[in-house]
Amino acid sequence: ERKAINFDLLTSKTIKSKRIGLSKNDIKDSFLENLFFHIGRVPKGATIMDYYQALAYTVRDRVFKEFVTTVKRISDEDLRVVAYLSAEYLPGPHLANNLLSLGITEQTAAAMAELGIDMEELILQEEEPGLGNGGLGRLASCYLDSMATIGIPSIAYGIRYEFGIFEQHIKNGLQEEYTDKWLQYGNPWEVVRSEIGYNIMFGGSTKHVTDSNGNFTVNWIPDSKLRGTAYDTPILGYKGYGSILRLWRAEAIDTFDFSAYNKGDYYKAVQEKILSENITKVLYPNDEQETGKELRLKQQYFFVSCSLQDLIRLHLLQGRILDTLHEKFAIQLNDTHPAIAVAELMRLLVDDYQIDWDKSWNITQRCFGYTNHTLLPEALEKWSIPLFRRVLPRHLEIIYEINHRFVQELKYQHGCSDEQLSRMALIDHSGEGSIRMAHLATVGSHKVNGVSALHSELLKKHVLYDFAQLWPDKFCNVTNGISPRRFIALSNPLLTGLITETIGSGWLTDLKELSKLENMAEDPTFQNKWMAIKQTNKASLSDHIKLETGISVDPSMMFDVHVKRIHEYKRQHLNVLNILHLYLQIKKGNNKDMIPMAFIFAGKAAPGYFMAKLIIKLITAVGDLINQDTEVNDKLKVIFLPDFSVKKAQHIYPAADLSEQISMAGKEASGTGNMKLSLNGALTIGTLDGANVEMMEEIGMDNFFLFGLNAEEVQHKKQGNYKPGDHYVHNLHLREVMDFLISGALSPENPKLFQPIYEQLLYDDPYMIMADFESYLISRAKVYEEWGNQSNWTKKSIINVARMGKFSSDRSIQDYSSLIWKIDSFQNRP
Ligand code: KOT
């Protein structure tokens, strides 16, 4: 029994001013102290990286103060907490965000300036943690920002990948992948908690035993064990509360296998360490593509088991009993990547804590909520049963038992037919058999949500139809949102300044307040300021493009932006077909009134995704053709910015005039880039897909360039006899660009290079590019017309921003809190 230190001591005056004071001088003192005593440098020998680290530690102390204060409150008031489980996070660089949240950007810049240091230069040193593939990981980070801002008690769990998403280089127009060494200079934002670690078991077999008292228990005898250690990064909300990102790293339990070592087999002794550490070595770089790899299953189980063991420890630490776990924790599953948690919690409760099955199941179901992020069949996780049995034999038994009880219930309580049973079961018996993780997550949760109104409807209509029929109240929608702090305040300081000087600063935590800008939409002075800011942001991006690619882009061109993962359903190649169309028109001399346009692409392709990589090659080939041709290059530019990341995105969004959101309807669950671009004043050209639908509802048809088939029409056409070739025959423009695609002009050294794209579009066209081409061109014609009247365009840009209030991640988190978690924010508490 240790006596706790009086908490007030930690926030006493002396400590406050010395260690966590927010004045310019306090910050300067702390910075120097960190430079000398933490980094161990004198200014003469210090590198810019040392300076960055010294500042990062300075800021981290102040962030920790807020975090510790929040944790104390949660503990004292015994509050209910959200545990967010996600295999991916994309927080972006921390330094500038933490300065903003603490409200110390100005005094820190001044403190650095007094030392002759340019703070902006330090900010640029930071390597961002690329611990995710795209939208799903970034959403998790926006949600963490919002939970901390509003004051939803929370802890976010994930994997500390040693190598995050690969670094993308473009060589000869092709993507090359390099390892992301984000930890090579250390990570000043994290604290290792060596004492917080859990043993994780894999493989082996199970033994069912009845002890002398007649109690039945199951022993899992694994064939390997390793340890997960916690690495904590404090997350600070905007002028708000603290939260924590707790990431697990896999380690060997013993560094050496001593029996092997003693026999002289040094190599084998170290091998175990290497194998253990493999689990958290690298992020799988596939977005919405299931891999079925054993290591991936191990990653998922590893982080889920660590996280659940940690929650149980925290629960018991508060002096509670496990019967009340669901009252104190709302565990949210970010897609099915952590869905094994349903079986793992059952194992912990039933096997380790000897709670009976029914009670355990009740606790489990009440703990979990499941968010589905995609309807793409190739992304729905299934684990082959032989593989699963090899890695998690006890969990297979538990899943069989859950399945058995579920099927019985369906049969005898609900009178389901055999077809229904086989459609809904957790096990798919076809082939070698597999486990349907979306079904496990649905059955094991009390709420299931989609990420936009359309997506949630389609989820109930197709992928989880039978479940929605059975349990209509289990299903709900929470439309995605984005953090206005990161995606305007940090990314677009000029626009932030103008908005704040016009309507005050309340909008940063209550985005609906942007509606006050509506009054200004037609004010010529305001419009001029708005346009000037866009122009400055474009000039800055243009400099960046020149630096990265060597290509000059005139900032007076329209910046047409298409940035996101490269995927056929997102239809970057539809955009390219239009660019080729414009090119051919210029070549024919039909370019009198043509608006000069820069097409800006960025995004990574999964390393094994042939078509996506070919699309990158196509974009760069079109760029090579156009950018060098003096007959066209004052009218058109095509840019592919390599290595898209949160950092780079923050640079691109503020400079966009037009946002391309052109996925085939029914395929993009929500999209969040659409929101980021619109919030920065870009107008959208898009289909009725994902959150575009709701954006258009908010923004109004007149301020949105809509085109293409809707989800129902897509469905209908697919079921009918869709012949993409008909569009080729009937549309002259389409025929011209398709013919050009395989003319060899784009790839003289390999004339057949783009034939796979050509043939797929003409004979199969799964994403209905041919069907939507004409409509896309008609909508684009409206874009050009509107662009011609710059004052009108600017008015629409202002209206776009003014009506984006709904898409704050703060609103999304309020929705999760009231619909799913039943947790009050600190803001709503007495
Ligand atoms: C699925 C499997 C592996 C890795 C990622 C996914 C994934 C990503 N599933 N959905 N997403 C995207 O999630 C975003 C956040 O909800 C959505 O905005 C976007 O439409 C999804 O494609």
Side-chain angles (χ1 to χ4, degrees), residues 88 133 135-136 139 286-289 296 335 337 373-374 379 451 480 569-570 668-672:
E88 303 191 8
N133 276 285
L136 172 132
L139 186 79
N286 310 316
D287 198 61
E288 307 196 53
Q289 174 70 51
R296 168 84 170 170
D335 216 288
H337 315 149
H373 292 265
T374 182
V451 291
N480 283 172
Y569 85 77
K570 296 177 189 279
E668 189 72 89
S670 160
T672 45

Side-chain angles (χ1 to χ4, degrees), residues 232-474:
D232 284 353
T233 302
I235 300 292
L236 185 56
Y238 180 72
K239 301 196 170 158
Y241 305 90
S243 182
I244 197 98
L245 178 57
R246 176 161 289 172
L247 303 177
W248 302 103
R249 175 173 190 264
E251 289 162 8
I253 290 180
D254 294 310
T255 309
F256 289 104
D257 176 340
F258 284 102
S259 61
Y261 187 65
N262 291 335
K263 284 184 209 128
D265 191 348
Y266 177 78
Y267 187 83
K268 183 164 176 276
V270 183
Q271 201 175 24
E272 194 203 338
K273 177 176 162 64
I274 295 170
L275 288 179
S276 301
E277 290 178 358
N278 268 347
I279 304 261
T280 52
K281 204 46 92 182
V282 60
L283 166 77
Y284 276 92
N286 310 316
D287 198 61
E288 307 196 53
Q289 174 70 51
E290 190 251 347
T291 58
K293 290 272 190 292
E294 179 170 320
L295 186 62
R296 168 84 170 170
L297 178 61
K298 286 183 166 173
Q299 288 185 336
Q300 295 183 347
Y301 175 64
F302 165 78
F303 100 88
V304 160
S305 180
C306 288
S307 308
L308 292 179
Q309 291 188 60
D310 197 43
L311 289 180
I312 289 176
R313 176 185 63 89
L314 292 170
H315 190 74
L316 299 177
L317 196 69
Q318 282 288 97
R320 309 171 189 138
I321 55 166
L322 284 175
D323 299 47
T324 61
L325 191 71
H326 58 280
E327 291 169 20
K328 292 299 173 183
F329 289 106
I331 310 175
Q332 195 63 29
L333 304 173
N334 199 23
D335 216 288
T336 55
H337 315 149
I340 185 65
V342 172
E344 173 66 356
L345 186 56
M346 286 300 286
R347 186 188 70 84
L348 291 166
L349 297 177
V350 174
D351 293 357
D352 287 6
Y353 290 92
Q354 273 90 50
I355 299 175
D356 74 55
W357 181 281
D358 290 324
K359 194 181 213 174
S360 298
W361 184 242
N362 183 35
I363 296 169
T364 297
Q365 278 189 316
R366 291 166 77 172
C367 277
F368 289 114
Y370 157 49
T371 306
N372 172 289
H373 292 265
T374 182
L375 304 172
L376 294 193
E378 65 268 31
L380 297 178
E381 289 191 304
K382 293 179 306 232
W383 290 108
S384 110
I385 289 187
L387 167 78
F388 201 92
R389 179 181 293 116
R390 208 160 60 235
V391 178
L392 299 170
R394 177 59 186 142
H395 296 77
L396 184 61
E397 292 175 350
I398 290 171
I399 290 171
Y400 279 147
E401 181 65 25
I402 297 171
N403 184 54
H404 173 73
R405 289 170 183 246
F406 175 53
V407 168
Q408 295 294 305
E409 182 189 324
L410 290 179
K411 220 162 150 173
Y412 299 111
Q413 284 176 33
H414 303 281
C416 291
S417 68
D418 283 352
E419 284 95 272
Q420 276 172 311
L421 294 185
S422 76
R423 280 205 305 266
M424 296 174 81
L426 308 188
I427 312 292
D428 177 349
H429 289 289
S430 65
E432 57 181 7
S434 55
I435 303 169
R436 298 158 162 159
M437 298 308 274
H439 293 201
L440 177 63
T442 302
V443 171
S445 300
H446 68 288
K447 286 278 180 191
V448 176
N449 75 286
V451 291
S452 73
L454 175 66
H455 168 69
S456 296
E457 281 313 306
L458 294 173
L459 196 59
K460 289 192 282 184
K461 241 169 104 180
H462 302 289
V463 177
L464 297 178
Y465 170 82
D466 296 294
F467 296 92
Q469 293 292 308
L470 181 66
W471 301 308
D473 297 339
K474 206 184 246 205

Side-chain angles (χ1 to χ4, degrees), residues 18-51:
K18 263 199 98 90
R19 194 85 203 234
I20 52 181
L22 300 180
S23 75
K24 182 189 70 187
N25 286 335
D26 291 333
I27 292 167
K28 195 165 92 180
D29 289 351
S30 295
F31 171 81
L32 292 170
E33 214 177 274
N34 279 317
L35 187 64
F36 297 151
F37 306 128
H38 201 127
I39 316 266
R41 289 280 201 197
V42 290
K44 211 172 163 205
T47 64
I48 183 105
M49 186 54 83
D50 294 327
Y51 286 159

Side-chain angles (χ1 to χ4, degrees), residues 585-601:
Q585 293 302 308
I586 299 175
K587 284 295 186 185
K588 283 197 223 162
N590 301 336
N591 59 345
K592 290 189 307 297
D593 312 314
M594 214 169 121
I595 287 154
M597 263 178 301
F599 291 89
I600 297 162
F601 293 87

Side-chain angles (χ1 to χ4, degrees), residues 183-196:
L183 291 167
Q184 73 177 325
Y185 301 112
N187 174 8
W189 301 102
E190 71 183 5
V191 179
V192 52
R193 308 279 194 197
S194 303
E195 78 288 6
I196 302 181

